Amino acid sequence: MAELYPSIAQCAVVATAFKVLLFPAYRSTDFEVHRNWLALTYSLPIKQWYYEKTSEWTLDYPPAFAYFEWLLAQIAHFIDPNILEIENMGYDRWQAVYFQRTTVILAELLLIYALNCYIRSSSQPAKQTSYAAALSILLSPALLIIDHIHFQYNGFLYGVLLLSLVCARKQSGQLSSGLIFALLLCLKHIYLYLAPAYFVYLLRVYCLGSKTRLDIHLVNSLKLGSGLVIVFGLIFGPFIYWRQLDQLLSRLFPFSRGLCHAYWAPNIWSLYSFTDRVLLLVAPRLGFVIDQDAVHSVTRGLVGNTSFACLPTISPRTTFLLSLVSQMPSLVKLFLQPSWETFMGAVTLCGYSSFLFGWHVHEKAVLLVVIPFSLLALKDRRYLGAFRPLAVAGHVSLFPLLFTAAEFPIKTVYTVFWLLLFLLVFDRLAPVPSRPRVFLLDRFSLLYTTVSIPLIVYCSLAHQFVLYKRKPVPLVSRPSHIQEDQEIWTFEQTGEVFTTYQSYLQRGDFYRQKRFSCEITGHSGLTFFEAFQSESDASGEVEDAFPDALKGPILRKVQFSTISRLDHLVDHVYEDFKHDYYPGESIVVIFGDSSRSPGILREKTKFPELLRADGSIERSAFARYRVCLNNSSDKEIVVEANDLVRERKTFTKQRLRSFLKKSIDHESWIGAPWCVKPEIAQFYQISGSLPPHLTYEHQMAQRKAHSMLKKNDFDGQLLNFSPGLPQLKPKVQRHKRESQDAARLGEEYQRALAANPDFGKIPQQQVEQFLTGPNGINGVSNIVVKSQPKQPPPPPALKYPIEDLELPPVPNKAPRPALKFLSIDPPTPHILPEKSARGILMRSVGPLLETWDTLNVYCEVFQLDSFTFDDYVEALQLTHDIHHCTLISEIHCAVLKKLVNDVNDKNGQVQFSLPESKSSRSEDSSVADTTSLPSPTPEPEAKPSARTTRSSLAKSEAADLKAVQTAGSSTIESKLHRAADMEHATRAYDWKMRLRKRDFGQGAWVYIIVGLLYQLSNDPRRKGTCDEILSKLAPPSQEATIQTAISQYPLIDINTRVKILEILCMLSLETKAIRIYMEECNNNMTEFRKEKIDMQRKRRAAMEDLQSLHEERKILQPRSRTTSPLPELEGLNDSKMTNGTEDEIEMDDEDVVVDTEEEEKPHQGRSLRRANDRATQRRKRAEEERLRKERLQAEKAKKPSKQEKQYEKIVKKIEEAKDQIKEYEEEVSVLENDLRESDCPRTRVLGKDRFWNRYYWFERNAMPYAGLPDSSTAFAGYANGCLWVQGPDDMERQGFIELCEAENRQYYNAFKMRVPERKMIEEGQTHVFNARQWGYLDEPDELDKLIGWLDTHGVREVKLRKELQAQRDKITKYMVQRKRFLAMSAEKKPEDEEPTSRMSTRTKTYTGSATTRRCFAWTNLTAEREIGHMHGEPKPPANNRKQGKPAKKAIEEDVRQTRATSRQGKPLTRQGSRYTF
């Protein structure tokens, strides 16, 4: 092989470099097919490989190739784990593309090895021809197109095939050949086409004797048979054991795909289809029977059953028999003459026969013929004559695989170059046959090759140019004046009218030209009327086939899209909609056991993305769907997108492309947007007004502005069109100047050296004296350096912050400040509870905080005044006069009113999911409760929870069955409570009717709660809690009346009351009012963010201008004056300011809610605390101002110079810039507060400490710091006033605190204590151990101690410390305010107060202790202002309301004047103004 140059390996290196350049090229759907196979083999057990149907590209290769994909997936896991997610369909990040492209190249190494083996196995005279054949296969354009652009692994598979063929060349390798081919069949079953040749050859040369054909070599037969059994058994055995063979075979042999593939192979059936089309034209004349249903089936080229209009329909059995019969001559010859050359010919002809007559043959199958034939083509010229047309036709037939413009030069130039090169080389190397040639049709191959090249050029270039930039045909406008008796000529199809016969003939000649194309199908070479009819037929098919539910959303998506190419637009829309479903769509629900059920999608609910306080994603955006199953018309389930799929071929890129071509168009100028056709846009109510920035005039003006900017020839008017960036000259490179200086010095040195050869040299005597002298230079002794042993490198330094619990404990460090507990059962037994914790259990503290926070955050929705947490707790602890506590009644009534609409508002529609009542199952009540209400929500039947998955459905059904069994025993239920009797007694005027009419008088809201809880008890999830509450409100030992429920409420404890409010608040979050409020807050936050970014950019620009003015002032400053640095410029280069442009656009929610007002302006806090020094400061400033004015007047008296005038002008501009910056800072501060108050979806946690305790300051977001400024208790000056601490949840506790024995031992060895022991030591005397335990801090010095206790080297505590320091001043302020207010309330005595009285509805006067409680001072001013009365009071009569209008208006105006306002003059609430529902 020394004479063969370049070698196969060298050619492979060059070819690989070229293939790497093709990584970004076009990729077919086969790329996604193999990515999906990587994902399913990696993510699923083997049992599910051939059942997985999430993607339409199911696994349809044999198991050996699936194992191969599994091996690749193990590597892909380290490259990009997202590749291996089954649901991540269409994933094409560059990591995935490069990895999969690289695996194709690496797998092709087997082909290179097989070709080397083939060359080595050839005889010496045939080395050169074998080398040429091997090189043609290695550089084959077919492999380049299919594998490295289109994407497949054919190079690897044909490497296995060639290795098997090479092994069959020698007798010693025949067994290996059979086993390798068996492995190949397990990799891809298309090679079954070649199996007959292998069977005959191995049977003849390996299993039968060479002397007689009936002499059987038993040992060889056993070897071959047992080897085949082992190969197939190892690969197919597991699936046979699991009884999945039928499923596997149905995937490998899908005969339902039809006779012809979507990309047609140039075989017998393409000619058969063409003949059927020709006969269709002459059938009426010849009297043939035409199948009308099959007229449009073949020419579509779609995958599916194909039928013919005139010729008989072909079945799979017919193709199998034809393939077998055409293979028989070569197999008979192989059996009679079993040589390797005959075997190669039989392999080629078997592949050829299957390609010509096979079922559903892809054009890529031509490689089964071309590659084996390449090894025989140089045997003699007879073989070469047959190989030429095969090579040309086979490679050109692959061109439709690459239909994009970017790959057109590659496929054409490379293929033509390969054909010319290797066909010429083969023609030189092919020897003359020993036997005389028989000339039949082989001379036609030269003609075929000669004609094929211009045909390729025409089809690829000229034909495209004829129909390039196809435009809709403009119709002739109708003449304006036509007389009634005037003769006219018309075209029916277009409705055009012509008044002269000459113009009519000219238009008809134009329409009869075969230069038109169908816009939908793409058929070309048609007359106008043929194209018109084709578009009409195809439009109807597209309209019927495309899902109706998707048409409107897709058209709204593409309206005014500026994506220029239609295929790119199709890809973009397909990616957005393939996992998104819309009401009315027919879909398939996949259950946990992989079973499927078709259904109709009824409703869709979108949930936005949620972010944590640190900016990380807490929950990704998702959607839930309500689906009605087809097999059960009354059964609806709630599922997520992962549980839904569409039927195959319902929504494909091909159908989407046809639909878009039918529905949209655009003008011919570059950058024109896509527009929905007017009649279609009107039908779907899509706006057709083009945005101004997309008009042709605006685009042209913008381009003109850019071109003028590039030429530096523009004026102010052009800059208004396009605010382009100024062109910057490149900076002079420093190293270039240094190199020039070095060159100049070098030239001077050379000139000096030429004049004096000793220039720059040191005498040798001085050198020796320096080296050997006792003192060296300047009297310093010579230093002898001894080689030291190399020291080991120091351990790498720790990079903080690290995991908090991995930090070593600090000895003798003060513990965390002691917590206080608002419960009578604190986690630490020896700690005494607070006085205010009367009757509160620890399990109720969390719900108590949650309900208070919900009621205050959404107080505008509920139309409630805000109230302090202490008033809330005190009101819930009342046992006397509770029905006269306005706070208690207003809270319950306000929340209940949001659950059910007023009787005049949508007939009292229920706004949440309410399980069906037992008493409402009768026909009359069910009609009253269901048919009278609109469809969105009202009281549907019991259904799964909001997050319904396949596993939770089974659990829900089991729970329902258990609930039914439990409910079957009425005696047990009657022992718990008498709510059912109470509902039965009031069925004529039940709780829903009472709530719709807002009948809350005399404590009737308690009865409404009883009725609501009783109906909620039908839900198994809430049954236990509801029964417990009902047993106290409707005890079995008392009468079932409304008065019983009202009288029982004062007797229940605070823990039960909190449970009631928790249920009501959870139900209110499902209502439309809360959802609308949250959406409005999100929209406001978006606007506030944009305004804040704009203000920060303006502030930075102003500071940069101020800095430049300051520099000018320094230059112009007179010598008699001194310049002090500007404090405004100190933060100009800070990180906060440098990120004020692009970086702030991507700021997270944490940046939004943190109040930075006091960080930016620290002097405000100090000025508030130093009120006594204000007079002194004012006097000082007045004196300085007087001196400054006197100095200015003295300077004005002099004749100022020109420089001084400029200096004064600069000083004036600096003062203006300072004022502008101050305004921007105030605007940013106001916007940050607006953002904080609008951030209402969730309560933000400040952070976590080393033991995973969470810290909350509830005023941090979604509410004003001290409650609403116009609240009835706004004088308290605080809302909660405490820093709350919650224990770790179960997962954090088990993963970081309660470790296993081995981890405990390891931690003890490191720190001499276990984590629980460390927690007890470092937290001091008080602890919270789980998420149901809460403590709090309410002293400013305790907050400072907590900040000092936190370790900044820990990853969690450094964030918590940062947050606490940022919020410290505000937390401290309201802690102090709370202490002051509670102390003032405690000092008040009953006798010091004026005697007051309160008249109740029972005409009973209450005085004394009731008025001394803080909670009785609260009243609902918000409801009085907005609805004219409090929620618990009946509506005043109409005449009273009319008379009370002026008074109410006066009150509102008075309140509006006293409320604090924002920069826009709006009240400082979450929305900036009251929200109206």
Side-chain angles (χ1 to χ4, degrees), residues 1054-1284:
I1054 183 175
N1055 304 290
T1056 306
R1057 295 173 185 172
V1058 170
K1059 288 182 181 179
I1060 296 173
L1061 284 171
E1062 184 181 14
I1063 294 174
L1064 295 180
C1065 289
M1066 291 299 293
L1067 294 177
S1068 69
L1069 296 180
E1070 300 179 21
T1071 60
K1072 184 178 180 180
I1074 297 293
R1075 291 200 302 268
I1076 293 177
Y1077 182 80
M1078 294 175 66
E1079 291 174 2
E1080 189 69 22
C1081 286
N1082 287 333
N1083 296 335
N1084 288 343
M1085 289 179 68
T1086 302
E1087 295 299 325
F1088 291 151
R1089 289 192 188 102
K1090 292 179 181 178
E1091 292 181 22
K1092 179 184 174 184
I1093 292 171
D1094 185 53
M1095 287 298 165
Q1096 287 177 329
R1097 286 174 175 168
K1098 290 180 179 179
R1099 176 175 176 261
R1100 177 167 181 79
M1103 292 183 70
E1104 291 174 352
D1105 294 340
L1106 180 61
Q1107 187 176 21
S1108 63
L1109 291 173
H1110 182 59
E1111 296 298 330
E1112 292 183 23
R1113 186 179 70 169
K1114 287 182 180 179
I1115 297 172
L1116 299 174
Q1117 178 185 0
R1119 295 180 180 179
S1120 59
R1121 302 186 183 184
T1122 58
T1123 304
S1124 58
L1126 298 176
E1128 289 83 3
L1129 299 177
E1130 293 179 359
L1132 181 61
N1133 297 322
D1134 294 345
S1135 60
K1136 181 177 179 181
M1137 288 307 304
T1138 55
N1139 295 333
T1141 56
E1142 289 82 359
D1143 295 342
E1144 288 184 355
I1145 297 175
E1146 299 178 358
M1147 63 184 176
D1148 54 8
D1149 291 345
E1150 190 70 17
D1151 299 329
V1152 173
V1153 299
V1154 174
D1155 184 76
T1156 59
E1157 181 181 358
E1158 298 197 8
E1159 292 180 4
E1160 295 182 1
K1161 297 186 283 186
H1163 60 278
Q1164 291 184 358
R1166 290 193 293 271
S1167 64
L1168 291 175
R1169 288 192 288 269
R1170 296 180 180 179
N1172 296 331
D1173 297 335
R1174 289 176 181 171
T1176 305
Q1177 293 177 0
R1178 283 196 296 270
R1179 288 194 298 270
K1180 184 177 179 180
R1181 284 197 297 268
E1183 183 66 21
E1184 292 176 354
E1185 183 68 18
R1186 185 182 62 79
L1187 294 175
R1188 186 180 68 83
K1189 290 181 179 179
E1190 291 177 356
R1191 186 167 60 252
L1192 289 176
Q1193 290 176 358
E1195 291 176 357
K1196 286 181 179 179
K1198 302 177 182 179
K1199 292 183 178 180
S1201 63
K1202 184 177 181 181
Q1203 180 179 356
E1204 289 177 345
K1205 290 181 179 179
Q1206 293 179 352
Y1207 177 79
E1208 295 299 332
K1209 187 177 181 180
I1210 292 296
V1211 170
K1212 185 177 180 181
K1213 289 184 178 180
I1214 288 176
E1215 296 298 328
E1216 293 176 354
K1218 287 181 181 180
D1219 296 338
Q1220 188 68 40
I1221 291 172
K1222 186 176 181 181
E1223 291 179 6
Y1224 289 147
E1225 289 176 347
E1226 292 175 354
E1227 289 287 336
V1228 170
S1229 177
V1230 172
L1231 286 168
E1232 286 178 345
N1233 190 66
D1234 291 342
L1235 278 168
R1236 185 189 64 80
E1237 293 186 1
S1238 299
D1239 186 25
C1240 67
R1242 60 199 176 279
T1243 302
R1244 295 186 176 274
V1245 62
L1246 289 172
K1248 304 174 185 177
D1249 64 12
R1250 68 197 69 166
F1251 301 112
W1252 294 88
N1253 300 314
R1254 290 176 171 81
Y1255 291 76
Y1256 292 89
W1257 183 43
F1258 287 95
E1259 298 95 316
R1260 184 191 183 206
N1261 67 301
M1263 67 174 71
Y1265 291 117
L1268 294 179
D1270 54 356
S1271 171
S1272 59
T1273 55
F1275 57 85
Y1278 75 100
N1280 191 299
C1282 299
L1283 182 67
W1284 290 88

Side-chain angles (χ1 to χ4, degrees), residues 822 835-838 840 848 852 867-882 885 887-888 1054 1057 1278 1381-1382 1385-1386 1409-1418:
L822 190 67
K835 295 180 180 179
S836 58
R838 176 171 52 85
I840 304 176
L848 195 65
W852 174 84
F867 46 88
T868 66
F869 181 70
D870 296 297
D871 290 352
Y872 181 62
V873 173
E874 185 182 56
L876 290 177
Q877 288 175 329
L878 289 176
T879 55
H880 302 287
D881 305 326
I882 192 168
C885 179
L887 180 58
I888 290 292
I1054 183 175
R1057 295 173 185 172
Y1278 75 100
F1381 177 74
L1382 295 180
S1385 300
S1409 61
T1411 59
T1412 63
R1413 294 186 179 274
R1414 297 185 308 273
C1415 60
F1416 282 93
W1418 184 90

Side-chain angles (χ1 to χ4, degrees), residues 76-107:
H77 174 70
F78 299 99
I79 304 299
D80 186 359
N82 293 327
I83 301 174
L84 306 177
E85 295 181 9
I86 297 178
E87 296 79 9
N88 207 357
M89 289 182 282
Y91 184 75
D92 57 353
R93 294 287 297 276
W94 67 267
Q95 295 93 333
V97 174
Y98 282 30
F99 170 74
Q100 292 188 244
R101 295 280 198 197
T102 304
T103 59
V104 174
I105 294 177
L106 294 178

Side-chain angles (χ1 to χ4, degrees), residues 515-747:
R515 296 171 61 88
F516 298 90
S517 62
C518 176
E519 188 179 10
I520 299 176
T521 64
H523 295 168
S524 58
L526 308 175
T527 66
F528 175 82
F529 303 108
E530 291 171 346
F532 184 84
Q533 185 62 35
S534 176
E535 286 187 4
S536 300
D537 298 341
S539 176
E541 293 181 11
V542 171
E543 190 70 23
D544 296 338
F546 201 77
D548 293 333
L550 292 178
K551 293 177 182 176
I554 287 178
L555 292 177
R556 290 184 177 89
K557 175 77 175 178
V558 302
Q559 179 75 316
F560 307 137
S561 174
T562 55
I563 299 175
S564 57
R565 293 182 55 175
L566 181 62
D567 53 350
H568 292 172
L569 180 65
V570 169
D571 294 339
H572 179 70
V573 174
Y574 182 78
E575 290 299 323
D576 287 347
F577 282 84
K578 67 179 180 180
H579 296 309
D580 199 6
Y581 308 92
Y582 289 85
E585 241 189 302
S586 297
I587 44 81
V588 177
V589 182
I590 304 176
F591 298 100
D593 55 355
S594 298
S595 61
R596 297 183 171 214
S597 177
I600 302 296
L601 199 150
R602 297 298 186 193
E603 294 179 6
K604 173 183 178 181
T605 305
K606 284 188 174 182
F607 296 88
E609 180 181 82
L610 297 182
L611 299 178
R612 298 188 180 90
D614 57 358
S616 59
I617 297 177
E618 179 179 351
R619 185 194 71 192
S620 301
F622 68 99
R624 287 192 178 133
Y625 307 89
R626 186 181 303 279
V627 178
C628 178
L629 300 180
N630 290 350
N631 54 13
S632 178
S633 59
D634 58 343
K635 183 176 181 181
E636 292 185 351
I637 61 173
V638 178
V639 295
E640 296 186 5
N642 295 335
D643 303 324
L644 297 178
V645 294
R646 293 186 178 95
E647 290 287 352
R648 293 190 65 177
K649 300 182 180 58
T650 300
F651 180 65
T652 62
K653 286 187 178 181
Q654 184 177 1
R655 288 190 175 179
L656 176 60
R657 183 186 179 89
S658 300
F659 173 71
L660 291 180
K661 289 180 71 174
K662 164 188 170 294
S663 306
I664 62 175
D665 56 13
H666 65 90
E667 299 180 8
S668 58
W669 52 275
I670 299 175
W674 292 96
C675 298
V676 181
K677 295 180 179 179
E679 62 277 9
I680 300 177
Q682 184 178 3
F683 179 79
Y684 289 103
Q685 298 181 355
I686 300 174
S687 175
S689 57
L690 190 66
H693 68 281
L694 294 179
T695 59
Y696 177 77
E697 292 77 11
H698 180 86
Q699 296 289 334
M700 292 301 102
Q702 196 171 23
R703 289 176 191 169
K704 183 178 179 182
H706 280 297
S707 63
M708 298 294 286
L709 283 173
K710 290 181 180 179
K711 297 177 182 178
N712 291 328
D713 183 16
F714 55 86
D715 55 14
Q717 294 179 351
L718 287 178
L719 287 178
N720 291 335
F721 275 109
S722 175
L725 296 176
Q727 289 192 343
L728 302 178
K729 294 183 179 180
K731 183 181 178 182
V732 178
Q733 299 295 330
R734 182 180 177 185
H735 64 81
K736 185 175 181 180
R737 293 198 304 267
E738 292 177 351
S739 62
Q740 293 173 353
D741 295 342
R744 179 175 52 80
L745 292 175
E747 292 176 358

